[in-house]
């Protein structure tokens, strides 16, 4: 469907009331991430294509099929498909002293030209972190604990964490070799995609959804068998630290992740409420070379659309939804009342009270506008009220009306907004 008043396929407008849920989620996320010592980093949505092709891996689906790439001024640019590489591009431009120990978080839109379906969008939003502390199992475990904490803050304490290792990057060729050799006797039975993956990216055979491939993969030795003792010990320590942090997880030797920059720890978090697109979040330790610097870090990204989908599927979105502030609608009868209401409206707003007014019209039409806006009160003034220094305050729900001195309005309204009864 293409129409002038529709967003591009796979992209959505997020309007009230759902946008209130997004705002609340973002606010809660910031609170949690700051508690773990993270600072916000806002990188551009448009980056050089090479930032991603090099770091995500030439054979990944994201790079091969899903990037929005365009040319401008002779440079190949793209819409960022994820957040990690842009953050590392920023880090590569800093000195080592500034990046050592850096903890950054981001919340923003990402773009992947995938086939849209429930939970899979072309513009989607991630909340993610990247931590550039020296590699250690303890940091990986702490970052995963943060992610679980964050999901819990949104009301998703019951997601499942799957944990695995990709092994140290120096040993990944050996792992690929081992898997290829183990798969070779049954290679002809694999699906067409996997036969291609055997040469290009054999790890991806492990998470193929095809039934036959899954049966073949189930009989393979775990990829940790092809890893160094140090890589296995690293995973073991991550698991011990997670136990100490009180984070539950399930070791899943078939978890590989779709991006090539990972080494050692990888994880995915899923909800059973979501159907096929059930990964709400993923992360791990990674290594990439950008701008002549080698950068290692640990991070994760949570798909916000997926989280909203789970909250809605579980009927939990209302627990997070904060109602919009109670609104006062100023009604002015006559030019002078309208003019003085402008000043009063600014005074009330300065006192923290949400206000609106119409630009004129009859009492009836102004009251209709107040009603339509969902205002909690209408504040009505005509010439008589102006002369006496008062205003009529109408409770739009109860239908009751009282007269109050104008200089008491801010205090009275603020107290009623804060108080239990309006
Ligand atoms: P990712 O697994 O590609 O990892 O994406 C993370 C999350 O983004 C997914 O678990 C999913 O919730 C959401 N997501 C991905 N694609 C879509 C889509 N088309 N529509 C809706 N949601 C989607 C990364 O992006 C890595 N940068 C994570 C990371 C950070 N690793 C280390 N640091």
């Amino acid at each position: 469907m293409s129409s002038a008043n529709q967003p591009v396929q796979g992209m959505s407008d997020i309007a009230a009331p759902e946008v209130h849920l997004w705002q609340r989620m973002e606010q809660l996320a910031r609170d949690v991430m700051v508690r773990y010592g993270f600072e916000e980093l806002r990188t551009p949505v448009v980056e050089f294509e090479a930032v991603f092709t090099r770091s995500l891996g030439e054979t990944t689906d994201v790079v091969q099929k899903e990037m929005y790439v365009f040319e401008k001024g002779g440079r190949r640019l793209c819409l960022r498909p994820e957040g990690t590489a842009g953050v590392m591009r920023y880090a590569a431009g800093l000195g080592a002293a500034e990046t050592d120990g850096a903890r950054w978080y981001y919340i923003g839109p990402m773009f992947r030209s995938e086939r849209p379906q429930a939970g899979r969008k072309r513009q989607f939003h991630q909340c993610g972190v990247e931590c550039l502390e020296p590699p250690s199992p303890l940091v990986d475990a702490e970052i995963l604990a943060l992610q679980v904490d964050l999901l819990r803050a949104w009301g998703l304490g019951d997601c499942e964490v799957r944990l695995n290792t990709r092994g140290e990057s120096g040993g990944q060729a050996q792992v690929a070799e081992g898997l290829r050799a183990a798969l070779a006797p049954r290679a002809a039975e694999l699906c067409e995609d996997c036969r291609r993956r055997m040469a290009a990216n054999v790890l991806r055979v492990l998470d193929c959804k095809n039934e036959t491939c899954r049966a073949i993969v189930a009989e393979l030795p775990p990829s940790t068998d092809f890893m160094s003792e140090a890589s296995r010990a690293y995973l073991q320590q991550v698991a011990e630290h997670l136990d100490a942090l009180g984070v539950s997880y399930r070791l899943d030797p078939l978890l590989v992740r779709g991006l090539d920059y990972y080494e050692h720890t990888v994880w995915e978090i899923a909800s059973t409420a979501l159907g096929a697109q059930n990964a709400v979040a993923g992360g791990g330790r990674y290594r990439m070379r950008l701008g002549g610097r080698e950068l290692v870090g640990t991070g994760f990204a949570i798909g916000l659309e997926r989280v909203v989908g789970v909250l809605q599927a579980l009927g939990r979105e209302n627990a997070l939804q904060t109602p919009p502030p109670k609104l006062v609608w100023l009604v002015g009868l006559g030019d002078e009342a309208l003019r003085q209401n402008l000043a009063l409206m600014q005074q009330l707003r300065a006192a923290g009270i949400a206000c609106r007014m119409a630009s004129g019209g009859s009492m009836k039409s102004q009251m209709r506008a107040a009603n339509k806006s969902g205002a909690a009160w209408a504040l009505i003034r005509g010439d008589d009220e102006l002369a006496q220094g008062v205003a009529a305050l109408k409770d739009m729900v109860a239908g009751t009306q009282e007269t109050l001195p104008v200089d008491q309005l801010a205090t009275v309204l603020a107290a009623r907004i804060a108080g239990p009864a309006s």
Side-chain angles (χ1 to χ4, degrees):
M1 182 173 37
S2 95
S3 152
N5 55 12
Q6 292 290 326
V8 172
Q9 197 193 12
M11 309 199 179
S12 298
D13 304 305
I14 306 172
E18 187 181 303
V19 78
H20 299 143
L21 176 62
W22 283 75
Q23 290 167 344
R24 180 80 183 124
M25 282 171 50
E26 286 166 14
Q27 186 200 334
L28 285 168
R30 288 174 202 279
D31 291 349
V32 175
M33 293 187 291
V34 166
R35 244 185 278 146
Y36 279 75
F38 282 80
E39 284 225 69
E40 184 169 11
L41 175 64
R42 299 187 186 197
T43 62
V45 165
V46 174
E47 294 271 6
F48 293 115
E49 181 193 17
V51 168
F52 298 98
T53 43
R54 287 201 205 122
S55 49
L56 272 53
E58 305 275 354
T59 62
T60 55
D61 283 352
V62 175
V63 167
Q64 287 211 329
K65 302 187 239 175
E66 297 168 4
M67 298 243 286
Y68 283 94
V69 180
F70 55 99
E71 227 174 87
K72 194 85 189 161
R75 312 294 302 257
R76 283 182 64 83
L77 307 177
C78 69
L79 300 181
R80 61 182 185 189
E82 57 104 56
T84 312
V87 172
M88 292 305 114
R89 191 256 322 128
Y90 170 73
L94 300 174
E98 287 161 291
T99 53
D100 274 355
R103 290 188 156 201
W104 288 302
Y105 79 80
Y106 48 88
I107 302 176
M110 310 291 162
F111 302 83
R112 295 184 193 175
S113 172
E114 298 189 75
R115 199 168 49 79
Q117 60 182 70
R120 199 201 273 160
K121 311 283 293 180
R122 291 182 169 168
Q123 174 175 330
F124 58 98
H125 297 77
Q126 285 186 345
C127 168
V129 310
E130 311 299 344
C131 169
L132 271 75
E133 271 158 55
S136 90
L138 192 145
V139 172
D140 297 3
E142 192 201 351
I143 299 304
L144 179 49
L146 158 58
Q147 190 169 18
V148 168
D149 235 7
L150 216 165
L151 289 165
R152 193 179 302 125
W154 290 333
L156 290 183
D158 44 8
C159 284
E160 185 190 46
V161 178
R162 286 182 301 137
L163 181 73
N164 195 18
T165 177
R166 298 264 297 237
E168 61 203 348
S169 53
Q172 286 179 354
Q174 196 183 319
V175 173
E177 218 29 68
L179 285 173
R180 228 174 265 127
L183 280 166
R186 302 193 64 182
E189 297 168 59
L190 293 169
C191 74
E192 201 187 316
D193 281 345
C194 282
R195 287 204 298 275
R196 226 178 346 95
R197 289 175 186 140
M198 278 283 281
N201 194 346
V202 68
L203 266 189
R204 294 312 306 271
V205 176
L206 300 185
D207 69 355
C208 181
K209 303 283 178 286
N210 177 292
E211 283 301 319
T212 316
C213 298
R214 283 170 65 136
I216 294 170
V217 161
E219 286 169 17
L220 290 178
S223 45
T224 40
D225 280 13
F226 309 113
M227 289 176 195
S228 67
E229 189 48 45
S231 293
R232 284 197 292 266
Y234 190 104
L235 176 65
Q236 179 60 33
Q237 285 176 47
V238 173
E240 284 165 15
H241 292 310
L242 286 173
D243 293 338
L245 287 159
V247 175
S248 335
Y249 55 88
R250 178 166 68 81
L251 287 171
D252 179 357
L254 298 184
L255 175 72
V256 292
R257 307 274 301 129
L259 306 166
D260 284 354
Y261 49 53
Y262 291 108
E263 62 171 0
H264 285 300
T265 325
V266 285
W267 64 81
E268 246 170 51
I269 303 189
S271 161
T272 45
L274 263 191
Q277 300 303 318
N278 66 355
V280 293
R285 167 158 295 285
Y286 51 85
R287 177 183 297 272
M288 62 181 78
R289 176 164 280 285
L290 272 171
R293 268 189 72 187
E294 180 150 83
L295 294 144
V296 290
T298 302
F300 65 72
I302 306 179
L304 295 181
E305 279 78 1
R306 303 251 171 111
V307 172
V308 168
V310 178
L311 290 173
Q312 287 170 342
L314 299 175
R316 292 188 194 158
E317 74 274 28
N318 289 339
L320 277 188
Q321 213 125 353
T322 38
K326 287 191 173 165
L327 183 69
V328 179
W329 193 282
L330 286 84
V331 175
L333 306 174
D335 287 347
E336 184 55 22
L338 274 175
R339 204 179 58 76
Q340 291 202 28
N341 273 359
L342 276 177
L344 177 59
M345 183 164 68
Q346 294 308 80
Q347 284 166 22
L348 294 176
R349 283 175 175 161
I353 296 161
C355 297
R356 282 185 63 185
M357 63 183 275
S359 53
S362 66
M363 166 93 169
K364 199 170 162 197
S365 73
Q366 291 186 52
M367 288 304 289
R368 205 181 307 123
N371 233 331
K372 186 165 172 240
S373 75
W377 297 278
L379 196 60
I380 307 157
R381 295 202 294 177
D383 290 340
D384 289 351
E385 285 80 6
L386 290 185
Q388 294 165 33
V390 297
L393 183 68
K394 176 165 184 178
D395 185 315
M396 300 295 282
V397 180
T400 51
Q401 191 165 313
E402 66 200 296
T403 302
L404 290 168
V406 169
D407 56 9
Q408 288 177 21
L409 282 171
T411 322
V412 170
L413 284 167
R416 290 196 190 168
I417 288 165
S422 62

